[in-house]
Amino acid sequence: MAYYETILFDYDGNGSEGSGTTDLDDFGEVCDPRFSQNFQKLFLPAVYGIIFILGIVGNGLVVLVMGFQKKFTNMTDKYRLHLSVADLLFVLTLPFYAVDAMSSWYFGKFMCVAVNMIYTVNLYSSVLILAFISLDRYLAVVRATNSQSTRKLLAERVIYVGVWLPAMLLTVPDLVFAKVQENGARNICDRIYPREANEVWKAVFRFQHILVGFVLPGLVILICYCIIISKLSKGSKGQSLKRKALKTTIILVLCFFVCWLPYCAGILVDTLVMLKLISAGCSLERGLQKWIIISEALAYFHCCLNPILYAFLGVRFNKSARSALSATSRSSQKFLTKKRGHVSSVSTESESSSVLSS
């Protein structure tokens, strides 16, 4: 769900999504909504286009390389494959958001619900997978002698119950409330809550967003890594190898917090303003709208960071990528050789090359 649309609804003078009629005198001073509309029409499509290209290329490469591997030798690789699949699905929704920001929602109710659901699944599954990665690193470092079976169980079975099932269940509000509604000259795809309790519904789901999608998994991540750091600080034997193994994962987690913390802080303040716990003048309102638009785009960039971190820091991934490229090259050479020598073998070699390159 693109959050900038909700901001425009919240403060629109028509009160189209609010509960009851809106008295403009209650706002003190009325802000022109065209301020945010003009900014997002220029800013969001450009940023979403960049994220879409980087996300498709980067996460697509991760999925292909890891899919090429017959057997994973690292538990973390399994989690990162799940993470890349979630991010790849997410970036496929960005062209819809780009068109929506520039003009209007043209894609109907079904796509409105589908796009909101994919957004929600990606949001919660990504942070939950990062929590699982931190737990896996904790078991590998702190409980190294007898944790292999537990780690395998978490990576192969529990992840579906602990990540994908909750993420899917949290899309139920999208199925119930996501709708397309006219707002002046344009259509808006958003969660449309009952008019009589509009602010209550919004506040509940925003706090759910912050707590389940950021605070609670963040606590798991911080606790696990604090214990790991404490463990690594005791003694020096073999610690350099462990530090190298943790480096990529730690940077992944830090990047997640850097990307998502400003956005969560923004919607928290916006919720407090909506509940009238914080008084907001026109200047604060405009600044808050612009902050959320920019910080949401920054949050979306996290789906592009995983493949970039692999390229620069993932030694194991680089080896796997080179292996995949070498195997593809050898397959292509065999295909060309057999094509010259035996016409009857072209079909089989072509299928093999297609599988490796798809």
Side-chain angles (χ1 to χ4, degrees):
M1 170 174 62
Y3 196 80
Y4 59 85
E5 296 289 8
T6 306
I7 298 172
L8 294 180
F9 253 19
D10 288 345
Y11 298 106
D12 184 79
N14 299 326
S16 58
E17 195 194 5
S19 54
T21 59
T22 302
D23 187 358
L24 295 180
D25 294 334
D26 294 339
F27 291 96
E29 52 180 330
V30 180
C31 294
D32 188 353
R34 290 176 297 179
F35 170 80
S36 292
Q37 290 175 340
N38 294 334
F39 177 71
Q40 69 192 29
K41 282 181 180 180
L42 298 175
F43 177 76
L44 291 178
V47 173
Y48 288 172
I50 295 171
I51 298 173
F52 175 76
I53 294 171
L54 293 177
I56 288 290
V57 174
N59 289 291
L61 178 62
V62 172
V63 171
L64 287 175
V65 170
M66 289 189 170
F68 172 78
Q69 295 176 352
K70 294 181 179 179
K71 183 178 180 181
F72 292 122
T73 58
N74 189 299
M75 294 295 178
T76 304
D77 288 342
K78 297 181 181 181
Y79 294 120
R80 287 172 178 163
L81 177 60
H82 282 275
L83 190 60
S84 293
V85 169
D87 290 338
L88 188 61
L89 291 174
F90 170 73
V91 297
L92 294 176
T93 68
L94 293 183
F96 298 96
Y97 283 147
V99 173
D100 190 27
M102 284 190 297
S103 180
S104 180
W105 186 266
Y106 299 110
F107 310 106
K109 180 180 178 180
F110 174 80
M111 288 305 299
C112 176
V113 175
V115 168
N116 275 273
M117 289 180 67
I118 294 173
Y119 171 91
T120 301
V121 169
N122 170 79
L123 169 67
Y124 292 111
S125 64
S126 293
V127 68
L128 290 173
I129 290 168
L130 288 176
F132 265 68
I133 291 174
S134 65
L135 182 59
D136 177 75
R137 294 294 86 202
Y138 164 79
L139 292 172
V141 175
V142 180
R143 309 289 182 184
T145 56
N146 57 357
S147 65
Q148 189 64 23
S149 60
T150 303
R151 293 178 61 206
K152 186 176 181 180
L153 179 64
L154 289 172
E156 295 180 355
R157 303 290 178 84
V158 179
I159 189 171
Y160 295 101
V161 179
V163 172
W164 293 106
L165 180 59
M168 291 300 297
L169 291 176
L170 288 167
T171 64
V172 172
D174 296 312
L175 284 171
V176 176
F177 296 113
K179 294 179 179 65
V180 179
Q181 186 177 82
E182 291 185 7
N183 185 35
R186 62 190 299 247
N187 293 328
I188 289 178
C189 167
D190 204 350
R191 289 183 183 180
I192 310 299
Y193 302 116
R195 189 179 293 267
E196 59 274 8
N198 179 58
E199 292 185 354
V200 175
W201 282 103
K202 282 186 179 180
V204 168
F205 286 118
R206 289 181 188 180
F207 284 126
Q208 173 197 282
H209 182 142
I210 296 169
L211 291 175
V212 181
F214 185 76
V215 176
L216 295 179
L219 287 174
V220 174
I221 291 169
L222 289 176
I223 291 171
C224 286
Y225 277 99
C226 285
I227 296 173
I228 290 172
I229 292 171
S230 176
K231 175 72 174 180
L232 292 177
S233 64
K234 297 176 182 178
S236 59
K237 186 177 180 180
Q239 299 305 312
S240 59
L241 293 177
K242 291 182 180 179
R243 289 192 183 94
K244 289 180 181 179
L246 289 170
K247 186 177 180 180
T248 300
T249 306
I250 291 174
I251 295 177
L252 262 172
V253 172
L254 290 176
C255 287
F256 180 86
F257 279 101
V258 169
C259 287
W260 282 101
L261 180 58
Y263 175 59
C264 289
I267 63 174
L268 175 61
V269 174
D270 183 69
T271 303
L272 296 178
V273 170
M274 181 187 69
L275 296 174
K276 297 180 174 61
L277 298 176
I278 297 177
S279 59
C282 190
S283 58
L284 176 60
E285 181 183 320
R286 286 182 174 181
L288 186 58
Q289 290 177 15
K290 200 167 186 178
W291 174 270
I292 294 180
I293 291 172
I294 295 172
S295 62
E296 184 183 51
L298 173 64
Y300 289 173
F301 261 110
H302 90 279
C303 69
C304 305
L305 294 178
N306 297 321
I308 293 175
L309 291 171
Y310 270 122
F312 288 102
L313 299 175
V315 176
R316 189 184 299 274
F317 178 80
N318 287 335
K319 290 181 179 178
S320 298
R322 286 195 295 269
S323 175
L325 292 174
S326 298
T328 304
S329 177
R330 288 195 299 270
S331 179
S332 299
Q333 290 175 359
K334 289 180 181 180
F335 169 74
L336 293 175
T337 301
K338 290 198 173 186
K339 184 178 180 181
R340 296 190 194 99
H342 304 283
V343 176
S344 62
S345 66
V346 168
S347 177
T348 303
E349 290 296 331
S350 178
E351 290 175 3
S352 175
S353 179
S354 176
V355 169
L356 293 174
S357 61
S358 63

